[in-house]
Amino acid sequence: MALKTDFCCFSGVEIYPGKGVGFVRAESQIYSNLSFQDNARATFPSPSLRNWRSHLKYDSRILCMALQQQTDRHKVAVKPLELEDAKEPPLNLYKPKEPYTATIVSVERIVGPKAPGETCHIVIDHGGNVPYWEGQSYGVIPPGENPKKPGAPHNVRLYSIASTRYGDSFDGKTGSLCVRRAVYYDPETGKEDPSKKGVCSNFLCDSKPGEKIQLTGPSGKVMLLPDDPKATHIMIATGTGVAPFRGYLRRMFMESVPTYQFRGLAWLFLGVANSDSLLYDDEFTTYLRDHPDNFRYDRALSREQKNKSGGKMYVQDKIEEYSDEIFKLLDGGAHIYFCGLKGMMPGIQDTLKRVAEQRGENWEEKLSQLRKNKQWHVEVY
Ligand code: FAD
C-alpha cells in the first residue's frame, strides 16, 4: 500500500507529495530494512498509516543519507574539479589568427530517418587546452580558402557547446557540438544544389575521428548559468538551439560536482519538426524519470502535433499553454533562455506580449525589467 506524504523537510532533503523523492511506502516494521525501489524512490518501513509521520521523524537522518547516496549513485564523477575554481569564465583563449588545433573524436548522426535534414553530435578533443563553461560557444575555422578573400582562411563559424565543461568523457578534455548540416535547395527546381551547401557545417558533419579542426574561443557570456543551485531555469530551444541546454542539464542531473548540487527547477521547451528530429531525447527523458521535481520537459513537434487552433504546434504554442506558470516563475526570479534560429523570436515575443496583455501587464516594461535583472538570455543565429 502506498502512502503519499505532505510536504516535509529533513536536513535539507525536501519531500513532496506523490513525487520521486518523497514517495514513502508502508511495508514492514523492520526499520533497518530501508531500501530503494528505483532512483529517488524510497521504500520506507512503517507499521501503520497513523504513525508514518513519527517514523519519518525518527528515521529522517537515515532516509536523508540513503536518499543522498541514491542520488549520487546515479551521478557521474568528473575531473578535474579545479575547473570549478575560476571566478570568471574563460574567454577567447584562441583567436582566429592563432586557433587551437584540436582533434575530432566522433561524429554521430543523432536524428532518425524521417527527420528533415541532418544533425550530428560531434565530440572534439581539446586536450584540456580550450576550457569553457556551460553556455559558451566555440568558433570553428573550416579548412580551405575564403572565396571572398582569396588566399585567406574562411571566416570563423560559431557553435554553442553542447557538453558541460567536463565534456562527454567527464575528464575536462573534450567539448561537443550539435551541428545541423546546412544544405541549399534551389527555390525554382526544389532540388538540392551541392555547390551552395554550407561550408563549415558540412565539414563538421563529414569529418572523421582523428581529423584536425581549428578552434577559436571559447566565447559568449549571455548564456552562462547563474551560480545559484536553487534557481529556476526556463529553456526555450528550437533544433540545435538545444545545445547549451544539454550542457546545463548534464551539469544539473548527470554529473556529481560537489560545489554545484542543483536543487532548483529546470524546464525545457524543445521545438523540432517531428519525433525523429528530437535531439538528446533519451537524456532528457531519463532526467524526467529520475528528477521529476526538478525537471520538466515539453516538446513541440510542428509536423506531428496541432496547436489549440488546429495549426502547427510551435514552441510558442507550448509557452502559451503554460503561460500562467511561466509568468509566475518569472515574477519569482526565474531565468529564461532562448536559443536556436533567429526566426523563433518574433513568434515567441508576440505570444509573450499577448499573454502579458491578457494578464493586464505591460510587456515592454516587463521585458525591460527582466533584462535589467539579468533574467533574460537570448542567443539566436
Ligand atoms: P555557410 O557556408 O556560411 O553558408 C550559410 C548558408 O548559405 C547555408 O545555408 C548555405 O547553404 C547557404 N549558401 C551558400 N552559398 C549560397 C549561395 N551562393 N546562394 C544562396 N545561399 C547560399 N549552428 C549549428 O548547427 N549548431 C549550433 O549549435 C550553432 N550555434 C551557433 C551559435 C552562435 C552564437 C551563432 C552565431 C551561430 C551558431 N550556429 C550554430 C550557426 C553556425 O555558426 C553557422 O552559421 C551554420 O553552421 C552555417 O554555417 P556553414 O559554414 O555551414 O554555412
Side-chain angles (χ1 to χ4, degrees):
M1 149 165 233
L3 166 66
K4 290 178 186 174
T5 68
D6 294 323
F7 172 81
C8 319
C9 186
F10 302 107
S11 317
V13 171
E14 291 171 347
I15 299 186
Y16 294 91
K19 289 201 181 164
V21 167
F23 199 81
V24 178
R25 295 180 124 215
E27 275 202 354
S28 101
Q29 299 200 1
I30 308 162
Y31 284 30
S32 59
N33 203 13
L34 192 70
S35 65
F36 290 92
Q37 297 201 311
D38 56 31
N39 187 38
R41 188 155 293 190
T43 300
F44 189 85
S46 175
S48 79
L49 289 179
R50 212 179 47 236
N51 289 335
W52 67 270
R53 275 176 194 278
S54 57
H55 295 303
L56 272 178
K57 199 169 143 209
Y58 294 137
D59 291 86
S60 63
R61 246 175 284 157
I62 307 170
L63 180 64
C64 289
M65 277 166 54
L67 286 171
Q68 189 60 50
Q69 277 169 9
Q70 178 71 6
T71 311
D72 288 349
R73 208 179 63 213
H74 285 266
K75 288 198 167 181
V76 182
V78 291
K79 63 173 190 187
L81 285 173
E82 289 73 32
L83 289 178
E84 302 294 322
D85 291 349
K87 295 274 173 288
E88 291 293 322
L91 272 180
N92 300 315
L93 303 176
Y94 291 89
K95 305 208 168 66
K97 286 209 169 123
E98 279 179 276
Y100 180 79
T101 303
T103 309
I104 299 282
V105 176
S106 60
V107 179
E108 186 196 351
R109 180 188 160 106
I110 51 168
V111 288
K114 293 194 189 120
E118 181 170 39
T119 303
C120 296
H121 181 73
I122 298 162
V123 181
I124 299 164
D125 183 350
H126 61 80
N129 298 308
V130 201
Y132 56 88
W133 282 6
E134 300 73 23
Q136 290 193 297
S137 300
Y138 270 158
V140 176
I141 306 175
E145 197 177 272
N146 188 333
K148 289 187 187 149
K149 290 186 211 153
H154 279 292
N155 291 337
V156 171
R157 269 70 164 182
L158 294 179
Y159 293 92
S160 308
I161 300 172
S163 48
T164 72
R165 64 190 74 186
Y166 299 100
D168 288 1
S169 46
F170 307 107
D171 60 2
K173 292 191 175 151
T174 67
S176 305
L177 306 180
C178 175
V179 179
R180 182 178 168 92
R181 189 190 282 277
V183 286
Y184 183 83
Y185 289 96
D186 187 308
E188 279 172 21
T189 62
K191 287 203 179 127
E192 199 176 319
D193 180 349
S195 70
K196 295 180 181 171
K197 66 185 184 185
V199 174
C200 194
S201 56
N202 280 275
F203 157 67
L204 286 167
C205 291
D206 290 334
S207 59
K208 301 276 174 290
E211 273 182 35
K212 298 298 175 198
I213 169 177
Q214 304 297 315
L215 283 189
T216 66
S219 63
K221 280 176 126 181
V222 172
M223 300 290 282
L224 294 176
L225 273 177
D227 289 338
D228 181 6
K230 296 198 289 306
T232 297
H233 310 268
I234 303 166
M235 300 164 276
I236 322 279
T238 56
T240 55
V242 76
F245 307 138
R246 176 184 185 255
Y248 295 179
L249 294 168
R250 284 172 78 92
R251 184 163 172 80
M252 291 166 182
F253 301 122
M254 188 183 279
E255 294 179 346
S256 171
V257 177
T259 49
Y260 185 80
Q261 296 188 12
F262 184 64
R263 282 171 282 131
L265 173 70
W267 190 352
L268 173 65
F269 291 89
L270 174 58
V272 291
N274 55 21
S275 23
D276 264 21
S277 314
L278 283 166
L279 301 168
Y280 310 112
D281 193 57
D282 289 355
E283 286 184 22
F284 303 150
T285 46
T286 301
Y287 306 145
L288 207 52
R289 187 197 65 200
D290 294 348
H291 303 272
D293 295 320
N294 302 91
F295 183 51
R296 292 177 72 170
Y297 177 35
D298 283 281
R299 293 160 275 211
L301 307 176
S302 59
R303 300 192 191 177
E304 275 176 21
Q305 299 170 327
K306 295 260 178 284
N307 64 21
K308 65 175 194 241
S309 322
K312 289 181 173 181
M313 175 71 89
Y314 290 115
V315 85
Q316 59 265 32
D317 299 309
K318 283 282 165 196
I319 293 176
E320 188 159 17
E321 193 178 328
Y322 295 104
S323 53
D324 267 340
E325 281 181 87
I326 291 174
F327 271 64
K328 272 187 204 139
L329 290 170
L330 290 174
D331 289 343
H335 290 260
I336 189 160
Y337 310 80
F338 303 88
C339 192
L341 292 180
K342 266 194 192 94
M344 72 191 269
M345 285 314 282
I348 291 175
Q349 294 254 36
D350 289 350
T351 301
L352 291 170
K353 189 169 162 50
R354 193 173 56 249
V355 170
E357 277 159 11
Q358 283 161 6
R359 295 166 58 91
E361 296 181 52
N362 179 319
W363 174 243
E364 273 70 34
E365 275 173 23
K366 196 171 183 77
L367 178 58
S368 91
Q369 197 57 48
L370 291 170
R371 285 198 174 116
K372 215 162 119 197
N373 297 347
K374 297 192 168 34
Q375 290 171 258
W376 183 263
H377 311 260
V378 182
E379 186 151 275
V380 289
Y381 40 86

